[in-house]
Amino acid sequence: MITGATRNLGFSLAEGLAQRLEPTDTVYLTGRDPARVAESVQRLSNARAEVRGEVLDVARPGAVERFADLLVSRHGGVDIVFSNHYARVQPDDDPRAVIDYYVEANNLGTTHVLRSFAPLLRDGGRLFVVASRAGSLRALAPALHPRFENLQSLDDVDRAVCSWRDAVRSGRAPGQAWPAWINIPSKIGQVAAVRVLAGQRRADDLRRGILIASISPGLIDTGASRAWLDLTGAPQPDEVAGPLLDLALDPSPDESFYGELVHVGREEPGPFGSVVRSGAIVPWK
């Protein structure tokens, strides 16, 4: 199951899984726009597995719970989940005006997916949250690190993220040392959520061969990134999807990846003056 699968990396992940899996497998391509979901299913090429397009707005917890129940009734569980949805913002957007839906989709949507789908993972299952290298606390002022450290539950993560959201909405964020680019705290919140969930499930998941991790896919040439970054030479979504699919389908992945933020793809200059290697764990702090 892939969220945010109607364009860019999400679409490439859905198409790649459909090409690599067996005719007896089912790939769920999901998104919140019914027309785009239907059009994306039609655009798929060379699919071997069955592909089902489903409308899913991850910002609505009830919708996520109902969709999880649907998969249980149809299949009894799930093998691979890519939490890939992303609500875009542009450089000229006023953060105070866009922060509410940005957090509802990108952060609360992520914890909705984790709550509803982690319990459905079968033995050998994979649950990946597509984040970025900006999800490291090293991208945040040290005074703010305690906001995301030592959290014990996904509810704690939601409260930390919503506290930041409220500071942005009220205009207090700059005075509290929050970065102007709201993508950074949002990605840190996503990675923190994965770390908390992994801390709760680690022993049993490792015994069952389950891998839960955050993924840093590196730069991707998409409309969501072009306005913010120099993407000269950046790969296309289908190039980036390949290594992520390799990891998802690896029967014996590195156990050290469990619960971590893993850079998968090209070696790239890191945000902290070092080179980030493919398959490397991005330090949390």
Side-chain angles (χ1 to χ4, degrees), residues 8-9 12 133 216-223 225-226 230-244 263-269:
N8 300 323
L9 180 59
S12 294
R133 288 170 293 159
S216 159
L219 291 179
I220 311 173
D221 187 1
T222 70
S225 302
R226 267 178 229 122
D230 179 4
L231 296 177
T232 303
Q236 298 299 308
D238 58 342
E239 298 176 71
V240 175
L244 274 67
H263 180 69
V264 180
R266 292 185 180 182
E267 295 187 0
E268 294 184 345

Side-chain angles (χ1 to χ4, degrees), residues 163-224:
S163 176
W164 158 67
R165 175 204 63 193
D166 294 346
V168 173
R169 185 199 295 147
S170 67
R172 294 179 287 110
Q176 296 178 1
W178 291 107
W181 192 19
I182 59 176
N183 184 63
I184 293 174
S186 176
K187 293 301 182 185
I188 290 171
Q190 288 181 326
V191 174
V194 171
R195 293 177 64 84
V196 165
L197 180 69
Q200 296 170 340
R201 296 173 51 101
R202 179 181 300 274
D204 193 49
D205 278 355
L206 293 178
R207 179 184 62 81
R208 297 174 56 204
I210 291 172
L211 176 59
I212 294 175
S214 307
I215 299 296
S216 159
L219 291 179
I220 311 173
D221 187 1
T222 70

Side-chain angles (χ1 to χ4, degrees), residues 58 83 85 105-115 129 190 193:
V58 297
S83 179
H85 52 273
N106 298 339
N107 290 98
L108 302 182
T110 296
T111 52
H112 297 334
V113 169
L114 295 179
R115 286 187 182 93
V129 171
Q190 288 181 326

